[in-house]
Amino acid sequence: MKILSIQKDHLASVCVFEKGNLIYYNQEERLSRKRKDSGVPFYCIEQVKKLFGKVDRCVLTGYDTDVNTTDVICKYLTHIKLLDKLEDGYCYNTPHHLSHAAKAYYSSGFKKAIIFVVDGMGSTFDNGYETTTVFKVNNGEFETIHKKIFTDTIDIGQFYGNVSKRLGWNHEEGKLMGLSAYGKPNKHIQNYLHTNIFWQNTSKEFEQYVLKNKEDLAFETQSLFERVYMKLVKEHIEPGYDVIMTGGTALNVVNNYKIRKALPSYYKLFIDPICGDEGNCIGIGAYYIDKVLGYRINKKSISQIYLNPMYQYDDKESNSNLNEVVDILTNKNVVAFYQGRAEAGPRALGNRSLLLDPSLHNGKQIMNEIKHREPFRPFACVVLEEEAKNWFEMDKIKNSPHMMYAVKVKEKKKSKIPSVVHVDGTCRIQTVNKNDNAKLYNLLKLFYKKTKIPILMNTSFNVDGEPIVETPKNAIDTFQKSSIKYLYYADLEKLCYKK
């Protein structure tokens, strides 16, 4: 039995389960090439039709799923003969935050967990819409133990987004997080700033002041967010229950590091790498399959990060190997590293990555000329898992395969990797081992052997305003219109040179 699951609305996406096994996933923006594409994921549905022909069931989720919307979408699915009959399409009218929680829970492998779902907004209830929900889960049974409903006081996720939006970064809260490291404590902003702030209701004098002191505004916003989140966690953690963080705010890697450091070691912590709405099709699909159809969910299939489809290559490039890639990197060049299935979620983790030698003092400038990013934004890195503790203050973090933590760089190592050290001395890291990503691991081993540095700058293979590349054609198109000089197909051991 094949079950199609659709996340409509924000960050639209689609997945397909074969009973309890996740066999397909994609996000609409990767195919439409429209960043953060929302609504109905028609491109993904078309891809599912080409790959599978037909499915047995369809489940829909979004902010609010109603019968009328479900009927329209399912009528379309029957029209294209992806679904046999309208009755096989289900309006799964569960809260938005349950989709987040289910995705994270089934991926974690935990039996008992406290799940923190914090985002901008979720489903609408009689008295407002949800902004924060805490679930207690025992062997798959979900219990809501705390829910914050928006009435007249916004919550930390929405607050963070509002500040970011006022600075011109709509749905780009990571920029605010990066800018916060340049700020300092500011009593005037701190005394006025609170989660109840609505920009249209602030005094013009205060608004003019904070917009002239953006760095301090970012610092105080991040600080307030961290304090409220930490309080939430301390109030609801419970011995015997592991901890899960999800919802869009789980991408706040600075906060994640502080939460992990503050939690006693006996608490396991799982931060879902597909924590935004783009993961909710997986969450609600798994929940439906478990609770309604009764199939056991295969954690290995659902916890994978390299989930997107495989594609055919245009095999015309010259043969090469990883040693040649290392030579290119050590000659101060950016390499676009493309292989296999694309990473689900917002992070490039070695299958759709731009790589660069982190020892270059002008590495940020080199990469910014390609990416057209603001100069205050930091760059992440990938590091050999076995070497991470020698370069970074890992504290209670055993590994970071999905770039969910910004950790302190060891003082003696900062001068060796200046391109990836942020102004506050941190770096968002991806640890990699041979099982995670063999090609990337082997490249790092060779680079380490030649340079004594087991690290590469790693950022997403795209240019400003575009989604991460998905297909080989996307890779070539981005390669040709950018200043990237080298594109390496790791699967084929082929290298493209820009003419």
Side-chain angles (χ1 to χ4, degrees):
M1 175 179 279
K2 290 186 177 66
I3 301 94
L4 172 71
S5 183
I6 296 174
Q7 157 68 21
K8 64 184 185 65
D9 301 329
H10 186 229
L11 302 181
S13 60
V14 167
C15 72
V16 176
F17 284 86
E18 178 80 64
K19 295 184 178 179
N21 294 299
L22 183 66
I23 60 173
Y24 168 90
Y25 170 86
N26 215 337
Q27 187 177 343
E28 185 72 353
E29 68 164 26
R30 302 293 182 89
L31 299 178
S32 70
R33 307 309 300 158
K34 180 182 177 183
R35 187 166 168 78
K36 298 185 184 295
D37 203 351
S38 301
V40 179
F42 288 110
Y43 283 91
C44 288
I45 291 170
E46 182 183 352
Q47 190 173 62
V48 169
K49 173 66 177 172
K50 287 179 180 178
L51 290 172
F52 302 105
K54 189 173 289 189
V55 296
D56 301 289
R57 296 282 190 277
C58 175
V59 185
L60 290 104
T61 189
Y63 287 124
D64 297 292
T65 308
D66 55 57
V67 174
N68 290 336
T69 304
T70 301
D71 280 351
V72 169
I73 295 173
C74 290
K75 281 177 182 177
Y76 173 72
L77 298 179
T78 56
H79 173 72
I80 64 172
K81 301 188 183 334
L82 181 58
L83 199 64
D84 270 340
K85 54 187 184 295
L86 195 62
E87 293 76 19
D88 291 331
Y90 292 85
C91 152
Y92 214 44
N93 195 18
T94 54
H96 177 81
H97 282 185
L98 180 61
S99 299
H100 280 297
K103 163 63 181 75
Y105 177 74
Y106 291 113
S107 299
S108 72
F110 297 162
K111 289 185 178 180
K112 299 169 70 176
I114 304 295
I115 306 177
F116 297 89
V117 183
V118 184
D119 61 7
M121 65 173 291
S123 294
T124 302
F125 292 79
D126 290 340
N127 56 338
Y129 53 79
E130 58 190 353
T131 56
T132 291
T133 309
V134 182
F135 295 91
K136 183 177 182 178
V137 189
N138 190 341
N139 289 315
E141 296 302 317
F142 289 74
E143 176 190 358
T144 301
I145 60 174
H146 170 79
K147 187 176 285 289
K148 174 74 174 176
I149 297 292
F150 167 75
T151 51
D152 59 353
T153 304
I154 64 177
D155 207 3
I156 51 173
Q158 189 181 34
F159 160 71
Y160 204 98
N162 278 8
V163 176
S164 177
K165 186 185 296 184
R166 186 60 188 84
L167 293 176
W169 305 321
N170 192 22
H171 297 304
E172 295 285 356
E173 290 82 4
K175 295 182 181 182
L176 181 63
M177 182 178 64
L179 183 64
S180 68
Y182 290 86
K184 61 185 183 302
N186 184 312
K187 282 292 183 183
H188 181 54
I189 294 176
Q190 186 181 112
N191 291 338
Y192 197 96
L193 200 63
H194 47 83
T195 57
N196 194 32
I197 191 170
F198 281 93
W199 285 102
Q200 62 267 32
N201 294 335
T202 58
S203 69
K204 288 185 178 180
E205 293 77 13
F206 179 72
E207 185 167 355
Q208 287 171 358
Y209 176 79
V210 295
L211 293 179
K212 289 178 182 178
N213 294 273
K214 293 180 181 179
E215 294 84 359
D216 291 355
L217 173 64
F219 177 90
E220 291 294 354
T221 300
Q222 176 70 25
S223 297
L224 179 56
F225 172 82
E226 291 172 6
R227 290 196 302 273
V228 176
Y229 205 119
M230 187 71 74
K231 182 174 182 288
L232 180 74
V233 170
K234 288 181 176 178
E235 286 177 350
H236 294 288
I237 55 174
E238 186 176 328
Y241 286 79
D242 294 313
V243 178
I244 295 173
M245 294 166 59
T246 187
T249 65
L251 292 172
N252 194 307
V253 292
V254 176
N255 181 58
N256 294 350
Y257 184 52
K258 293 178 180 179
I259 295 291
R260 177 62 277 183
K261 289 184 72 175
L263 282 174
S265 299
Y266 52 81
Y267 286 107
K268 293 179 183 176
L269 174 62
F270 176 75
I271 305 173
D272 191 354
I274 318 175
C275 59
D277 291 357
E278 73 278 357
N280 282 4
C281 65
I282 300 176
I284 205 62
Y287 189 85
Y288 172 81
I289 289 163
D290 179 23
K291 302 300 182 185
V292 178
L293 300 181
Y295 295 118
R296 185 182 182 88
I297 301 300
N298 180 346
K299 175 192 175 284
K300 187 175 181 180
S301 74
I302 202 172
S303 62
Q304 268 289 330
I305 196 69
Y306 305 106
L307 291 174
N308 294 27
M310 288 288 291
Y311 298 95
Q312 294 294 319
Y313 292 88
D314 181 12
D315 188 8
K316 296 180 180 178
E317 288 67 45
S318 59
N319 290 328
S320 57
N321 56 45
L322 291 177
N323 283 301
E324 188 173 352
V325 176
V326 170
D327 290 340
I328 292 167
L329 288 166
T330 54
N331 280 311
K332 304 180 180 181
N333 292 295
V334 171
V335 173
F337 201 77
Y338 183 105
Q339 60 172 326
R341 300 177 183 272
E343 308 88 331
R347 310 292 196 209
L349 300 169
N351 282 20
R352 304 290 189 276
S353 288
L354 299 179
L355 305 176
L356 183 65
D357 182 349
S359 70
L360 302 177
H361 287 278
N362 65 336
K364 290 180 182 178
Q365 181 182 346
I366 292 171
M367 195 65 82
N368 276 331
E369 288 176 1
I370 292 171
K371 300 276 288 183
H372 308 296
R373 292 177 18 143
E374 296 86 348
F376 64 81
R377 295 174 64 189
F379 282 102
C381 81
V382 59
V383 56
L384 291 171
E385 185 178 284
E386 63 269 26
E387 290 294 327
K389 63 183 181 299
N390 298 323
W391 291 75
F392 304 100
E393 301 290 348
M394 299 296 285
D395 199 60
K396 298 166 188 171
I397 301 169
K398 292 182 180 179
N399 54 34
S400 178
H402 304 129
M403 282 188 184
M404 299 306 283
Y405 298 101
V407 304
K408 287 286 185 181
V409 183
K410 290 200 170 184
E411 196 63 39
K412 293 182 179 179
K413 300 294 188 180
K414 289 180 181 178
S415 62
K416 297 181 183 295
I417 51 171
S419 290
V420 296
V421 182
H422 198 27
V423 67
D424 60 357
T426 65
C427 180
R428 174 162 50 94
I429 66 168
Q430 174 197 359
T431 58
V432 66
N433 60 46
K434 202 159 193 173
N435 291 328
D436 290 337
N437 193 319
K439 294 282 187 181
L440 183 61
Y441 179 83
N442 290 336
L443 175 64
L444 278 167
K445 290 286 281 188
L446 291 170
F447 186 80
Y448 183 32
K449 183 178 180 180
K450 185 168 183 176
T451 66
K452 307 303 180 189
I453 298 174
I455 296 165
L456 286 168
M457 180 191 285
N458 179 13
T459 189
S460 55
F461 185 4
N462 63 335
V463 292
D464 187 50
E466 292 187 356
I468 297 173
V469 303
E470 172 73 8
T471 67
K473 183 182 184 304
N474 298 153
I476 290 291
D477 289 346
T478 301
F479 171 67
Q480 289 178 337
K481 70 183 178 184
S482 71
S483 57
I484 302 168
K485 294 182 180 179
Y486 301 94
L487 168 59
Y488 185 71
Y489 287 146
D491 294 322
L492 305 180
E493 296 191 342
K494 303 274 184 183
L495 191 65
C496 257
Y497 294 82
K498 185 173 182 180
K499 295 180 180 178

